[in-house]
Amino acid sequence: MHSSVPMTGRLRGACAGCLALLALLLAGIGPALAQSSGVIREIRVEGNQRIEADTVRSYMQVAPGDAYNLERVDRSLKTLFATGLFADVILQREGEVLVVRVVENPIINRIAFEGNRKLSDDALSAEVQLKPRIVYTRTKVQADVQRLVQLYRRSGRFAATIEPKVIQLPQNRVDLVFEIYEGDATEISRINFVGNKQFSDGRLREALATKETRWWRIFGTSDSYDPDKLTFDREQLRRFYLSNGYADFRVVSAVAELTPEHDAFFITFTVEEGEEYKFGKIDVQSPYKDVTAEQLKPFLRSKEGNVYNAELVDKSIEDMTFELGRLGYAFVEIRPAVTRDKDNRTVGIVYEIKEGPRVYVERIDISGNVRTLDKVIRREFRLAEGDAFNTAKMRRSRTRIRGLGFFEKVDINQRPGSTPDKTIITVDVSEKSTGELSFGAGYSTSDSILADVQIRERNLVGTGQDLRLGFSISPRRQQIDLGYTEPYFLDRELAAGFDIFRRRQDLERQSSYSLDTTGLTLRTGFPITESLTGAVNYRIREDDIHSFAAGASPYIRREAGAKITSAIGYTLTYDKRDDRIDPRDGYVLRGSQELAGLGGDNRYIKSTATFIHYYEVFDEVIWSNGLEGGHVQGLDKDVDLFSRFFVGGDSFRGFKNGGIGTRDNTTGDALGANTFGVATSELTFPVGLPNEFGIKGRIFSQLGTAFGIDEDAVPGNTIVDSSSLRATVGFGISWTSPFGPIRVDIGFPILKEEDDRKETFRFNFGTRL
């Protein structure tokens, strides 16, 4: 049986329990309510030294007259700590007064660095955020320590440690000292590759910006580990393989392992090369009726059947974009539609021309140029405010600004304009020194020991003007010259300038006389197209032949005295080389003529032409073939001695200066030639040493002739004038050393005349500090 309890008893028990629970709750809440109750009549600040009490109160979330509220008081405490002004804050209630006790953070009096040798104080100061007269906080100090550690790691010193020290000073000030142990540079002990079959480890290392540590890299930082550089190297590997036909290439991983001693890294790249591809069918699709695909195909760098090269695809797009812009189509977008045939290993490309969004240049903003005038930068732009925006022209503008040589960094970006169809181009530059004081020393077979001094400013008062003053002296030649160039004469893309020179040459070894030349040249140059440039010059000079050696040729003695030459000339240059400093592909064609007779003593027309073609046979193996020739024709007057061509030396290796051509058979003196021609074939190749050594070998052959002299200048029969061909073969080596370029050539004449002057060994060395 179940027992039952009367209902009234249950209710009484339940009520008694509720009352007991309520009593307990009131006992716990009572004190809290007591503390939360009441009004704050005053906020008193204690412990402050520099900071005004009102400033402290301004950060509080409560004010006199407010009800005391724990939540708002807690927020006030957090706000005061967040200011970074205080090392400690205590809020305490004393009756109706809220007391704020603070301990102020000290002020930094001075920041110093100790133990740093590899990085300067200026470099370190630029990295830290704390500065003198700023409030000291431990959080900011630790953040600066991490920044300095990262700076040392970027410079390749992963073993560097930094410990901040605080020196207490009166009036709550401190000196902050960063004690630095730099440690040794963390070397790149080895760079390994896994998965490469087509290219050796050595060839791939050359494509990287990161290099293995070797003794000859003591002056560089390429052998210092940098995570950002490693990321860049992944892209460099990708570009290298894509430019050599491996369209499926990818970098699986790039791992840098630090030794336990923190003194060296082992870097391993794991790659998947894939197969080599060739260009398949290449076509152009044009939506414009008046621009056919056939008109644009000459601008394609990629050819069907050639090894696939992604760089050529980009260059083709750039060239076609320029051409379409020239034809009036500014809003174009060219996309390469790629068809990859894995069975035949070909990459077919269809260049699809589409009309892009109509966007105009609203404004060009330039920053960072402290010295260089804005107009010097703006005139290099292929775009102007109000023009239709063109990506290819913006890239071309960046190249032209960098080509000025005035800036260490040139960043060009775009951001949205005031409306969707407008864009703002921002240019951020970092200037570098453009003044030069150089001292040169060298040796050449022609001039013997040579020394020179040059003072130059390439950006005169920020206008882009070039001013140069040079002196050079050697036992056989002394020269002083002054040159000035205004790159944008009359605010047009027209370079104008002048050269004034005084030169004395001792030519006794080749022609038994000395020659003094004083002259002035006025010149101007202008672009005709992107590849074709023109130049016009006027030159007036005085040539004085004197100091004849004993037994000098009578044909030279009759030239004694001073003569004035007044001549005007022009030069056309068509340059399609891929690089003007270190060409690997393309050609350059240059032709010039000079007409003398605008007053003065000499009247002639002189023509010269040069053609050189470069071709990369294998990687780093460059084959160049050139042809140079010239002819001078007297106009109702014989051509004087110093207006003829003297062939040999650097122009025809294996023979001395003036070693071939017309000469006096009795004295052996070179008389020059009215006509010459030299063909050169040269193969340049690496010699197996690392590229940064700058050492390259070459083999060459030359075939040429020099002949002709005015009949009126030959009263006797002692002249030797043979138009027969001469030929040399030889080899040489060049070294781009830290002290300047050094060049050695060994030439062996295999076709020569009895009276020619041979020269087997030729050495040139020069430097500029």
Side-chain angles (χ1 to χ4, degrees):
M1 293 181 64
H2 295 283
S3 61
S4 61
V5 178
M7 183 64 67
T8 55
R10 290 180 181 176
L11 289 173
R12 288 193 190 101
C15 290
C18 290
L19 290 173
L21 179 61
L22 181 60
L24 290 173
L25 289 173
L26 290 174
I29 296 175
L33 290 174
Q35 290 184 13
S36 298
S37 62
V39 176
I40 298 173
R41 300 299 180 186
E42 180 186 354
I43 297 177
R44 186 168 67 241
V45 180
E46 299 178 355
N48 57 312
Q49 299 178 32
R50 300 184 317 274
I51 303 170
E52 296 290 338
D54 288 341
T55 303
V56 177
R57 294 187 187 100
S58 69
Y59 292 112
M60 301 289 291
Q61 303 295 313
V62 293
D66 291 348
Y68 186 86
N69 184 285
L70 280 175
E71 183 181 350
R72 294 174 66 185
V73 170
D74 183 60
R75 289 205 306 266
S76 299
L77 182 67
K78 293 177 179 178
T79 302
L80 288 171
F81 270 116
T83 63
L85 298 172
F86 310 105
D88 193 14
V89 180
I90 298 175
L91 298 182
Q92 187 174 0
R93 183 179 179 185
E94 295 179 359
E96 294 183 339
V97 177
L98 180 60
V99 180
V100 183
R101 294 187 176 92
V102 297
V103 177
E104 294 179 352
N105 276 323
I107 294 292
I108 297 175
N109 176 64
R110 184 174 65 94
I111 296 178
F113 303 94
E114 293 182 358
N116 56 306
R117 292 182 177 85
K118 298 300 180 181
L119 296 180
S120 67
D121 286 3
D122 290 340
L124 297 175
S125 297
E127 195 70 21
V128 299
Q129 299 296 312
L130 287 171
K131 305 292 181 187
R133 295 182 298 280
I134 288 181
V135 175
Y136 167 93
T137 67
R138 292 181 181 178
T139 303
K140 292 180 180 179
V141 170
Q142 291 304 317
D144 280 346
V145 167
Q146 291 303 313
R147 290 189 185 92
L148 294 176
V149 168
Q150 290 300 321
L151 180 64
Y152 270 100
R153 290 190 173 187
R154 288 197 299 270
S155 65
R157 295 181 178 272
F158 278 74
T161 59
I162 300 172
E163 185 176 355
K165 298 288 186 180
V166 176
I167 301 174
Q168 298 291 339
L169 299 175
Q171 299 177 351
N172 201 24
R173 295 175 302 125
V174 295
D175 283 346
L176 178 60
V177 180
F178 291 98
E179 293 185 352
I180 300 171
Y181 169 72
E182 295 180 321
D184 295 328
T186 308
E187 302 176 343
I188 306 294
S189 180
R190 186 73 178 169
I191 300 177
N192 298 312
F193 297 89
V194 177
N196 56 310
K197 299 177 181 177
Q198 303 301 325
F199 298 96
S200 67
D201 286 12
R203 182 64 189 91
L204 295 181
R205 290 188 193 106
E206 292 176 359
L208 303 179
T210 304
K211 304 296 182 183
E212 293 179 346
T213 300
R214 295 292 184 267
W215 65 266
W216 58 82
R217 298 193 177 105
I218 57 176
F219 298 110
T221 59
S222 61
D223 58 347
S224 298
Y225 174 71
D226 185 344
D228 294 335
K229 195 186 296 183
L230 193 64
T231 302
F232 176 72
D233 284 335
R234 293 174 66 111
E235 179 63 17
Q236 289 293 93
L237 281 175
R238 191 185 72 86
R239 290 181 179 180
F240 172 78
Y241 271 94
L242 288 179
S243 65
N244 283 280
Y246 293 87
D248 294 331
F249 171 81
R250 73 186 187 98
V251 179
V252 178
S253 65
V255 179
E257 298 178 83
L258 184 61
T259 62
E261 295 79 13
H262 287 197
D263 61 350
F265 272 99
F266 293 90
I267 298 177
T268 303
F269 292 93
T270 303
V271 301
E272 288 183 3
E273 293 180 322
E275 300 290 336
E276 183 187 75
Y277 284 74
K278 296 183 182 296
F279 280 113
K281 184 178 180 181
I282 300 175
D283 201 3
V284 179
Q285 290 182 356
S286 173
Y288 306 111
K289 294 181 179 180
D290 54 343
V291 181
T292 65
E294 296 302 319
Q295 287 178 264
L296 296 175
K297 283 184 178 180
F299 297 93
L300 295 178
R301 304 283 189 97
S302 48
K303 306 295 181 183
E304 185 175 350
N306 289 353
V307 175
Y308 174 74
N309 188 332
E311 290 184 3
L312 296 181
V313 176
D314 293 338
K315 290 179 180 179
S316 299
I317 293 173
E318 186 173 339
D319 290 348
M320 286 191 291
T321 303
F322 269 117
E323 177 63 14
L324 288 167
R326 190 185 66 82
L327 296 173
Y329 296 95
F331 305 101
V332 295
E333 186 177 356
I334 303 177
R335 295 181 179 178
V338 177
T339 304
R340 191 175 304 178
D341 186 344
K342 293 190 175 182
D343 294 332
N344 297 315
R345 295 202 294 275
T346 60
V347 177
I349 298 178
V350 177
Y351 294 92
E352 298 177 347
I353 302 173
K354 298 181 180 180
E355 187 169 353
R358 294 180 175 270
V359 179
Y360 297 88
V361 178
E362 179 178 2
R363 195 170 69 247
I364 299 176
D365 293 338
I366 301 173
S367 62
N369 54 316
V370 178
R371 183 164 173 266
T372 306
L373 302 179
D374 275 11
K375 72 174 186 178
V376 174
I377 300 174
R378 289 183 184 276
R379 66 195 184 193
E380 298 301 326
F381 259 87
R382 302 297 88 183
L383 291 165
E385 294 171 348
D387 285 356
F389 177 77
N390 185 300
T391 302
K393 288 184 177 181
M394 190 172 78
R395 286 199 301 265
R396 178 61 178 162
S397 301
R398 181 188 295 110
T399 301
R400 289 176 62 91
I401 295 172
R402 285 176 176 168
L404 291 173
F406 302 160
F407 310 106
E408 290 181 350
K409 180 193 72 172
V410 178
D411 290 331
I412 300 182
N413 298 291
Q414 61 178 121
R415 56 185 174 89
S418 57
T419 58
D421 64 340
K422 293 180 180 179
T423 186
I424 297 174
I425 298 177
T426 61
V427 185
D428 184 23
V429 299
S430 176
E431 292 182 322
K432 65 180 181 182
S433 175
T434 54
E436 300 175 4
L437 172 60
S438 56
F439 301 89
Y443 176 84
S444 72
T445 311
S446 301
D447 297 320
S448 185
I449 298 174
L450 174 69
D452 68 355
V453 179
Q454 181 171 282
I455 303 171
R456 185 180 184 187
E457 173 53 64
R458 295 181 292 108
N459 187 15
L460 189 64
V461 295
T463 62
Q465 299 168 354
D466 190 333
L467 181 63
R468 173 183 51 83
L469 175 63
F471 308 86
S472 63
I473 185 170
S474 77
R476 301 175 194 169
R477 179 169 64 90
Q478 299 86 44
Q479 179 172 326
I480 178 173
D481 59 283
L482 172 68
Y484 171 81
T485 302
E486 165 55 68
Y488 272 75
F489 185 60
L490 300 177
D491 288 329
R492 298 179 180 272
E493 199 167 353
L494 182 70
F498 65 83
D499 298 294
I500 303 173
F501 55 91
R502 167 75 175 175
R503 180 172 59 242
R504 177 165 188 164
Q505 293 175 276
D506 181 355
L507 301 173
E508 291 188 13
R509 291 194 175 189
Q510 72 178 42
S511 299
S512 301
Y513 67 91
S514 294
L515 174 64
D516 291 349
T517 303
T518 305
L520 166 67
T521 299
L522 303 176
R523 49 185 166 73
T524 181
F526 47 90
I528 301 174
T529 66
E530 285 292 327
S531 302
L532 180 63
T533 58
V536 178
N537 66 80
Y538 169 75
R539 181 161 53 93
I540 182 169
R541 74 172 195 266
E542 179 189 69
D543 298 285
D544 183 11
I545 294 180
H546 60 91
S547 301
F548 298 100
S553 169
Y555 308 114
I556 291 176
R557 290 183 178 276
R558 65 184 292 178
E559 300 274 4
K563 291 184 179 180
I564 300 294
T565 301
S566 175
I568 188 171
Y570 72 89
T571 301
L572 291 174
T573 303
Y574 189 68
D575 196 339
K576 296 294 288 185
R577 292 173 294 181
D578 60 340
D579 189 289
R580 297 188 179 187
I581 298 175
D582 185 21
R584 296 167 178 256
D585 186 60
Y587 61 89
V588 58
L589 176 63
R590 181 177 295 107
S592 64
Q593 281 191 313
E594 182 181 73
L595 174 66
L598 307 177
D601 302 306
N602 296 312
R603 289 190 292 275
Y604 62 79
I605 183 168
K606 179 186 283 188
S607 306
T608 59
T610 303
F611 174 79
I612 306 177
H613 180 268
Y614 299 89
Y615 176 72
E616 190 168 18
V617 183
F618 304 107
D619 192 35
E620 299 290 329
V621 178
I622 313 300
W623 185 21
S624 63
N625 293 283
L627 182 64
E628 182 180 11
H631 176 73
V632 56
Q633 177 68 48
L635 300 177
D636 300 325
K637 200 169 186 178
D638 293 340
V639 178
D640 58 289
L641 178 68
F642 38 79
S643 297
R644 301 179 195 138
F645 301 104
F646 288 83
V647 181
D650 290 330
S651 63
F652 201 158
R653 286 161 285 182
F655 297 95
K656 292 183 178 181
N657 284 335
I660 69 171
T662 308
R663 74 178 58 254
D664 188 328
N665 189 38
T666 302
T667 64
D669 292 334
L671 303 178
N674 287 2
T675 304
F676 86 98
V678 177
T680 304
S681 183
E682 183 170 288
L683 194 70
T684 305
F685 50 88
V687 295
L689 295 172
N691 278 349
E692 57 263 37
F693 267 33
I695 297 179
K696 291 186 177 181
R698 61 180 171 275
I699 55 175
F700 61 86
S701 64
Q702 291 187 280
L703 180 70
T705 185
F707 60 90
I709 192 169
D710 295 314
E711 292 184 2
D712 292 343
V714 187
N717 58 359
T718 61
I719 296 295
V720 176
D721 185 15
S722 174
S723 61
S724 62
L725 291 174
R726 283 82 159 177
T728 61
V729 295
F731 61 91
I733 192 168
S734 59
W735 178 26
T736 307
S737 75
F739 313 104
I742 296 176
R743 181 183 176 107
V744 177
D745 287 301
I746 308 294
F748 304 97
I750 55 176
L751 290 178
K752 58 184 182 297
E753 295 296 319
E754 182 179 354
D755 297 294
D756 292 339
R757 297 294 184 262
K758 299 179 288 296
E759 181 184 74
T760 303
F761 178 81
R762 189 163 188 83
F763 174 81
N764 286 281
F765 160 64
T767 184
R768 196 171 284 280
L769 304 174

